[in-house]
Amino acid sequence: MDLQPEVSVQCPYCWETIDLLLDASAGTQEYVEDCPVCCRPIIVHVSFLFDEPEVWVEPEMN
């Protein structure tokens, strides 16, 4: 298993496709990362099923 897989997701604000580098050693996780295109905060959800990352993103609501 690649410990730093890269995945592509779509920003929930600007709809641009962005690449995220994951840390597979951390297991299931949730964190906030700014979109490199529009700079808005995105909540990134990561889980691993059979060593394959499953990633979904959502806008951060304040």
Side-chain angles (χ1 to χ4, degrees), residues 35-50:
C35 173
V37 178
C38 70
C39 300
R40 301 211 34 208
I42 302 167
I43 300 174
V44 180
H45 303 271
V46 181
S47 63
F48 290 87
L49 181 63
F50 304 112

Side-chain angles (χ1 to χ4, degrees), residues 30-34 40-44 60:
E30 179 180 303
Y31 62 93
V32 177
E33 184 166 322
D34 290 342
R40 301 211 34 208
I42 302 167
I43 300 174
V44 180
E60 182 180 60

